[in-house]
Amino acid sequence: MLRALTAAAALLIASAGPALAAGDAEHPHDHRFSFDSPLGGYDMGAVQRGFQVYQQVCAACHGMDHLAYRHLGERGGPFALYMVRNHETGELEPHVGKPAHGGAFVDVTENPYVRAIAAGVMISDVDPNTGEIVDRPGRISDRFRRPFPNEIAARAANGGAYPADLSVITAARHGGADYVYALLTGYTGESEGALYENPYFAGHMIAMPPPLAEGSVAYSDGSPGTVEQYAADVTHFLQWATDPHMEERKRLGVVVLAFLIVLSGLLYLSYKHVWRNESH
Ligand code: HEC
């Protein structure tokens, strides 16, 4: 009996070993995001600012291959355009992001904000006349610009490390949005050569230099220019990119639940009705 127990204990310890080794990164704290709760949606202001942080900072090294510029202006996107009637003047006015009530959605092909975002990016493309690779201004149908033509070039520019595609990063990493936020705010300030200490990264040394610094992105809505604010906003944007239909899904969940509750009530009443003359 004792021997069986010892063997079982030894087995347990042996199987826990590799798990402990892989899990040496510190567990990220639970950061509060508006999308955490079962009914919570995205804070579109945060998603808009987060896109700005991605565009001005992260896009130098990380691509987001799954995203095209037009996605930013589709329903549920951070730069979706709506025309809303102003009750005082009676005029229709543009409103970026879904208004609290009403508003007519403007198709993304007619959305000047998204067009401007795309046109502000230079995309490498094949010139249809000469067959040469040229840079041209982006179109809304373009995928997000790739910072490097391929993985070899990306590694060469980053000391051998690969800056992962961020399209679905919050789904691809254990800890999701909390991990990304903790990583971005978790640098200790210590470094060794081209590696920076960060307890949230497996191995504790990461080849990404601290990407955010106080004041490095200028917000136009008065939000503070702190590392924590940038990190929270860009994480919000990355979560939206990973799961752009979350709000619809949660809304549908509520409708389905309400339907099931009504259905249970009806079934109960019909049961009562069918058995009304029977004594049990
Ligand atoms: C100068 C280039 C550079 C910039 C700018 C940069 N990164 Fe990185 N990033 C890297 C590299 C290189 C790695 C891989 C590090 C490693 O493997 O040691 C990395 C890794 C990461 C990881 C970890 C991925 C994983 O495998 O767990 C995340 C998340 C990340 N970056 C997010 C961001 C965000 C968000 C921004 C913008 C605020 C940003 N990065 C800006 C180069 C960069």
Side-chain angles (χ1 to χ4, degrees):
M1 177 68 192
L2 193 63
R3 196 183 284 172
L5 268 181
T6 332
L11 236 167
L12 253 179
I13 292 168
S15 62
L20 284 178
D24 73 334
E26 206 162 300
H27 191 74
H29 304 286
D30 197 6
H31 186 79
R32 287 188 61 170
F33 290 105
S34 63
F35 48 77
D36 282 341
S37 70
L39 298 181
Y42 293 121
D43 168 353
M44 276 304 165
V47 180
Q48 289 168 2
R49 291 191 300 274
F51 170 71
Q52 190 186 349
V53 175
Y54 168 75
Q55 191 78 334
Q56 291 180 13
V57 182
C58 324
C61 301
H62 294 273
M64 292 187 78
D65 260 3
H66 295 355
L67 248 69
Y69 294 104
R70 69 183 163 78
H71 291 140
L72 298 168
E74 285 177 354
R75 283 176 202 276
F79 297 95
L81 183 63
Y82 292 82
M83 295 310 281
V84 183
R85 188 159 312 275
N86 181 323
H87 287 303
E88 275 153 34
T89 62
E91 304 267 307
L92 281 176
E93 291 173 355
H95 187 285
V96 178
K98 186 151 179 50
H101 322 275
F105 176 71
V106 179
D107 193 81
V108 62
T109 53
E110 310 286 325
N111 183 324
Y113 301 93
V114 177
R115 280 176 175 275
I117 288 170
V121 180
M122 293 307 274
I123 303 274
S124 295
D125 201 353
V126 178
D127 185 318
N129 300 319
T130 64
E132 278 171 29
I133 304 273
V134 289
D135 279 349
R136 58 156 174 83
R139 309 183 189 112
I140 61 170
S141 55
D142 284 321
R143 304 242 152 205
F144 276 27
R145 179 181 171 277
R146 288 185 172 178
F148 303 104
N150 54 47
E151 186 174 335
I152 298 170
R155 283 189 190 275
N158 286 281
Y162 182 59
D165 186 275
L166 296 181
S167 311
V168 291
I169 191 77
T170 66
R173 291 293 176 274
H174 184 70
D178 289 335
Y179 162 69
V180 174
Y181 178 80
L183 186 75
L184 294 174
T185 53
Y187 286 90
T188 63
E190 301 293 319
S191 63
E192 231 180 80
L195 292 177
Y196 302 82
E197 190 180 43
N198 191 318
Y200 299 100
F201 193 65
H204 290 209
M205 298 304 274
I206 186 165
M208 168 167 71
L212 299 170
E214 179 116 15
S216 54
V217 177
Y219 282 153
S220 58
D221 69 354
S223 298
T226 59
V227 170
E228 287 75 20
Q229 181 77 35
Y230 296 147
D233 290 343
V234 78
T235 304
H236 219 107
F237 168 68
L238 294 175
Q239 179 68 33
W240 168 79
T242 296
D243 192 4
H245 301 299
M246 176 202 73
E247 293 186 327
E248 265 166 65
R249 202 173 56 240
K250 285 184 177 173
R251 230 173 289 134
L252 185 67
V254 171
V255 173
V256 168
L257 268 183
F259 170 77
L260 286 177
I261 290 170
V262 170
L263 184 69
S264 327
L266 286 177
L267 283 176
Y268 179 71
L269 290 178
S270 74
Y271 158 83
K272 283 299 230 190
H273 183 74
V274 168
W275 293 92
R276 68 194 177 285
N277 295 325
E278 301 292 328
S279 57
H280 301 281

